[in-house]
Amino acid sequence: MKNKLTLQNLFKIFSSQTKLEILMTIFDNNLTASEIANRLNKDLSTIYRHLVQLKNIGILKSKRVKGIEYFDFSSTKVFQLIENAIEFLNEINGEHVIDCSNLKECFFAESPNNLNPDYVLDVRGEICPVPDVKTRKMLETLEEGKILLVIVDYPLSAERIPISVSKMGAKVLAKISEKAGEVKIFIQK
């Protein structure tokens, strides 16, 4: 039975880090509860409880294929709402992008094969889904062949970003970890 969703409850849902991670994981594919639990490295019963809550209020839907339940968004507007919220936060907090074309060079001594990015997106300190969404939005604005360096310190984003940008048609040139907990991802559009 579907519960009535209110604006207050919607924002309460988006304040749950686990629920946001579940939504970002489902964004890529229709997934089962166990696939989501494995990707997020979380307990299956916890993930399933969240999935049922999200389904009961109408944010998610599910279908059974050969007895296995797969979860998906009930509407693309759910993800658009998350994207719009992140864009609003960028307006308020400012963007963390360095345009290397305005500098003599944007050189990183640690860059593999002397890759020099055209832009640097620093999303350290941001948690899912912010790094993922900012990376996709930034790639949409780049010209073909340009290189974007994304610096993250959130482990789930370090795993998700290469997968999601590859699905967009971008090429992951390198993924390096120099400092504990920090990952640099070089992406070419």
Side-chain angles (χ1 to χ4, degrees):
M1 178 184 206
K2 199 167 160 178
N3 300 328
K4 184 174 179 178
L5 182 62
T6 64
L7 188 58
Q8 292 87 349
N9 288 339
L10 179 64
F11 282 109
K12 189 184 285 186
I13 289 164
F14 289 146
S15 70
S16 165
Q17 185 59 35
T18 301
K19 285 184 176 84
L20 279 174
E21 289 174 353
I22 288 169
L23 292 172
M24 289 307 296
T25 302
I26 290 173
F27 174 73
D28 292 332
N29 300 296
N30 292 328
L31 298 173
T32 66
S34 59
E35 289 171 326
I36 295 166
N38 287 337
R39 288 185 184 189
L40 298 178
N41 198 25
K42 297 203 186 255
D43 179 66
L44 176 59
S45 62
T46 301
I47 294 300
Y48 189 73
R49 181 175 43 83
H50 287 295
L51 288 167
V52 168
Q53 289 172 348
L54 291 166
K55 181 180 169 184
N56 284 342
I57 59 173
I59 290 177
L60 294 180
K61 63 182 178 182
S62 71
K63 66 179 176 183
R64 289 198 175 270
V65 177
K66 296 182 181 178
I68 299 172
E69 188 172 20
Y70 291 86
F71 293 87
D72 193 9
F73 286 109
S74 61
S75 168
T76 57
K77 291 182 180 171
V78 175
F79 190 74
Q80 291 168 350
L81 183 62
I82 295 169
E83 281 186 329
N84 288 336
I86 291 169
E87 286 178 18
F88 173 71
L89 292 173
N90 285 344
E91 287 176 20
I92 300 299
N93 298 327
E95 190 70 57
H96 301 284
V97 176
I98 300 170
D99 181 349
C100 297
S101 65
N102 295 331
L103 305 172
K104 268 197 166 176
E105 64 181 277
C106 222
F107 181 76
F108 293 87
E110 312 85 9
S111 298
N113 301 326
N114 293 323
L115 286 174
N116 288 318
D118 297 294
Y119 297 91
V120 178
L121 177 62
D122 185 351
V123 287
R124 290 176 287 189
E126 300 279 2
I127 57 177
C128 183
V130 175
D132 310 54
V133 172
K134 283 186 175 183
T135 300
R136 278 198 309 278
K137 288 288 190 186
M138 184 68 192
L139 280 173
E140 289 172 3
T141 67
L142 294 184
E143 296 174 22
E144 289 288 320
K146 296 291 183 182
I147 297 174
L148 172 67
L149 167 60
V150 181
I151 306 171
V152 297
D153 60 1
Y154 190 66
L156 183 59
S157 292
E159 295 304 316
R160 285 186 41 74
I161 289 172
I163 294 167
S164 65
V165 300
S166 294
K167 288 181 178 182
M168 289 177 64
K171 181 178 181 183
V172 177
L173 301 173
K175 179 179 162 186
I176 58 174
S177 181
E178 301 159 339
K179 298 179 185 175
E182 185 177 292
V183 178
K184 292 180 178 178
I185 307 166
F186 291 81
I187 305 165
Q188 185 173 39
K189 180 167 181 181

